[in-house]
């Protein structure tokens, strides 16, 4: 059961949110199509219900307190969640929505080409994708699940393994014609493209080749898509997950260097908060992923 003291009316929350965002009762009233006195009264009633001062009054101005700014963050996220839920219900009354965060290049190269099959098999589900590199808190972000790389250590979440990462070093044919790489020692002397979030990847690759990694590092990039283009342009050698290297090597724009497909530094995982366990679209997505991974094994 909810304590009704901490559940203000929607009118109070909308008035509060608008006043904090605009820093103006007048502009909030115009946006909500209410009188200024009505907005002021709603804010006063909210303060009385919560037993906290949310605004400092300076003449006709209301200045949010630090507590109000913190409360605003949570209230605005809650209102956004309610808004999205209403839009999803109207647009898709027989199904549901799934908000999924994923690594940008993984979403583009691996998930994207396969997602049409999932949506075709589940026509009532609406999918919302959000590219994410940094971790976030499920309690704060309105996201149902995330696909990430690493270990199954996402805080306060359940995990499902998708697959282990395997790495292949690749370079353009033109680059390799100018810089033959017949041994690991040859590779160590060439420009090595690094991913910011994989600082040990090259060391793992050299170990798999039976060699020691070079002491110096190469150009650092924050996304695989940028690294792929840099390698195609002949800037250096890219160390890519196999699923990212396949298209370019098949088309001849990149060529594997030495022994391909060595074990990487982690795995790809789906994670979701326990509260989302009963989310029907998420359950359908997990089951679809399970079938997809089993078929590829």
């Amino acid at each position: 059961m909810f304590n009704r003291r901490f559940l203000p009316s929607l009118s109070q929350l909308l008035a509060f949110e608008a006043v904090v965002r605009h820093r103006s009762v007048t502009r909030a009233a115009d946006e909500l199509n209410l009188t200024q006195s009505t907005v002021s009264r709603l804010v006063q009633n909210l303060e009385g219900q919560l037993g906290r001062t949310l605004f400092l009054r300076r003449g006709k101005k209301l200045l949010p307190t630090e507590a109000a700014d913190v409360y605003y963050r949570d209230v605005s996220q809650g209102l956004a969640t309610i808004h999205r839920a209403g839009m999803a219900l109207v647009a898709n009354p027989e199904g549901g929505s799934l908000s999924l965060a994923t690594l940008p290049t993984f979403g583009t190269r691996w998930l994207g080409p396969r997602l049409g099959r999932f949506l075709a098999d589940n026509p009532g589900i609406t999918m919302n994708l959000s590219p994410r590199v940094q971790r976030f808190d499920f309690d704060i972000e309105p996201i149902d699940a995330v696909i990430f790389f690493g270990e199954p250590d996402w805080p306060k979440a359940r995990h499902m393994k998708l697959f282990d990462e395997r790495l292949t070093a690749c370079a353009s044919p033109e680059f390799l014609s100018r810089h033959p790489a017949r041994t690991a020692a040859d590779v160590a002397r060439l420009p090595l493209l690094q991913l910011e979030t994989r600082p040990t990847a090259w060391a793992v690759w050299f170990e798999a080749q039976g060699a020691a990694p070079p002491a110096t590092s190469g150009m650092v990039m924050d996304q695989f898509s940028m690294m792929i283009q840099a390698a195609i342009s002949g800037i250096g050698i890219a160390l890519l997950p196999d699923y990212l290297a396949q298209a370019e090597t098949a088309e001849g724009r990149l060529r594997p260097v030495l022994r391909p497909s060595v074990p990487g530094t982690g795995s790809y995982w789906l994670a979701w908060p326990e509260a989302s366990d009963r989310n029907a679209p998420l359950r359908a997505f997990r089951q679809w992923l399970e079938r997809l991974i089993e078929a590829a094994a």
Side-chain angles (χ1 to χ4, degrees), residues 31 58 70 79 86 93 101 129 141 147 162 173 186 194 210 221 249 275 287:
E31 178 182 296
R58 298 287 186 267
V70 173
L79 291 174
L129 294 180
E141 299 280 359
I147 293 176
L162 301 183
D186 293 335
Q194 310 256 349
M221 301 180 177
T249 54
Q287 293 169 350

Side-chain angles (χ1 to χ4, degrees), residues 145-157:
V146 59
I147 293 176
F148 71 101
F149 174 83
E151 300 296 330
D153 56 0
W154 198 283
K156 297 180 289 185

Side-chain angles (χ1 to χ4, degrees), residues 168-192:
T168 295
C170 299
S172 70
E174 293 77 15
F175 179 90
L176 292 175
S177 67
R178 289 183 282 111
H179 306 284
R182 299 183 178 88
T183 67
D186 293 335
V187 175
R189 290 190 289 267
L190 298 174
L192 305 180

Side-chain angles (χ1 to χ4, degrees), residues 109 168-170 228 240-251 254:
R109 290 297 194 95
T168 295
C170 299
I228 291 171
L240 302 174
D242 283 358
Y243 76 90
L244 290 182
Q246 289 172 353
E248 279 69 22
T249 54
E251 295 167 359
L254 291 178

Side-chain angles (χ1 to χ4, degrees), residues 261-278:
S261 194
V262 304
T265 61
S267 305
Y268 291 89
W269 299 85
L270 176 74
W272 65 95
E274 293 183 9
S276 296
D277 262 346
R278 299 181 64 183

